[in-house]
Amino acid sequence: VADKVVTRWNEDNLTWTLDTEGTLTISGTGAMKNYDANNSPVAQKKDNVKKVVIEDGITSIGDYAFFGCGSLTSITIPSSVTSIGDFALSECTGLTSINIPSSVTSIGNGAFSWCSSLTDITIPSSVTSIRDHTFYGCGSLTGITIPESVTSIGDSAFFWCSSLTDITIPSSVTSIRDYAFYGCNSLTGITIPESVTSIRDYAFYDCNGLNSITIPKSVTSIGRNAFSGCTALNEVLLENGSTLTSES
């Protein structure tokens, strides 16, 4: 039987191999290169990539590595990987779930942005921050577990996650940044832990399903329009001892 025709790229110490079935295998040892939106090995064949298998020994997924691979439905990430780069899987609109191994300590800005079919993801307890735009536009995401290791939720981290019905913010989080949950209009209730000291501008803007919220006394500042457009919000409870006033 003749060998399948494959497309192969050698990138430093890694080899990218795309077979005719649409399986992209990345083999070798060490870190993946960082790319921009148009120059990863698969940039010109992104519609052909249906499955990605990253072999053990590879330590990182580079910036924009699989950006815009809209036909991708499955990715295997080994426990040798410790970081996922900026926008690495952005606009992978066919992915419904991703298993991130517990070896990963860093997830880049916009890593899963506009993964519009992503319904389920678990952040490993080795990750310390949800970065800017990480899940921006993930409109099918219904729930997410944020581990106690996370201390900050970045700008626009869950912007327009319109199916998100439930989220628990752990007591390790101290900062909820600008636009963090903007447009999450399926959220009905949320608990802000006593570790949070600031809720930034537009953090819960247009969360029009939100009907109640308790703000702990640890929160000393609430940004501009943080709850603007929350048309169902009929109960805001300030804990005893809060320094916030109605003018805040």
Side-chain angles (χ1 to χ4, degrees), residues 3-246:
D3 288 341
K4 291 179 181 177
V5 176
V6 298
T7 305
R8 183 173 285 112
W9 302 268
N10 291 308
E11 292 277 298
D12 293 345
N13 49 339
L14 305 184
T15 301
W16 299 48
T17 306
L18 178 63
D19 69 19
T20 53
E21 306 295 313
T23 297
L24 173 66
T25 304
I26 303 171
S27 57
T29 55
M32 193 181 290
K33 287 173 67 175
N34 288 323
Y35 302 98
D36 62 31
N38 302 306
N39 72 349
S40 88
V42 296
Q44 305 309 314
K45 289 184 173 287
K46 60 181 68 172
D47 293 338
N48 299 83
V49 177
K50 297 174 183 174
K51 180 179 180 181
V52 167
V53 177
I54 301 171
E55 294 193 345
D56 194 45
I58 292 167
T59 57
S60 69
I61 298 175
D63 296 351
Y64 290 94
F66 308 110
F67 177 79
C69 288
S71 301
L72 179 63
T73 57
S74 167
I75 183 167
T76 301
I77 303 173
S79 59
S80 54
V81 168
T82 60
S83 66
I84 297 173
D86 295 348
F87 299 94
L89 288 152
S90 179
E91 296 186 24
C92 290
T93 53
L95 275 178
T96 57
S97 66
I98 302 167
N99 183 35
I100 303 173
S102 59
S103 54
V104 171
T105 59
S106 173
I107 298 173
N109 297 332
F112 308 110
S113 57
W114 294 114
C115 286
S116 54
S117 299
L118 189 64
T119 58
D120 180 53
I121 195 161
T122 299
I123 306 293
S125 59
S126 44
V127 171
T128 58
S129 68
I130 309 289
R131 303 276 291 279
D132 298 351
H133 301 86
T134 301
F135 297 103
Y136 188 116
C138 290
S140 298
L141 195 65
T142 55
I144 189 165
T145 300
I146 300 175
E148 290 280 348
S149 53
V150 169
T151 60
S152 65
I153 296 174
D155 291 359
S156 305
F158 295 97
F159 191 108
W160 276 341
C161 289
S162 54
S163 298
L164 196 61
T165 57
D166 181 47
I167 191 160
T168 299
I169 300 173
S171 58
S172 50
V173 170
T174 60
S175 175
I176 299 172
R177 307 278 300 179
D178 299 355
Y179 300 92
F181 296 97
Y182 183 117
C184 292
N185 52 28
S186 296
L187 276 180
T188 55
I190 194 159
T191 300
I192 309 290
E194 292 190 353
S195 51
V196 171
T197 58
S198 67
I199 298 171
R200 300 288 292 272
D201 297 352
Y202 296 89
F204 294 95
Y205 184 93
D206 218 13
C207 290
N208 54 33
L210 197 63
N211 53 45
S212 69
I213 191 160
T214 299
I215 299 174
K217 60 187 176 185
S218 56
V219 173
T220 57
S221 67
I222 295 177
R224 291 178 303 119
N225 296 308
F227 297 99
S228 184
C230 294
T231 52
L233 193 60
N234 54 35
E235 185 177 60
V236 178
L237 298 174
L238 297 180
E239 282 191 347
N240 286 338
S242 174
T243 58
L244 292 169
T245 69
S246 58

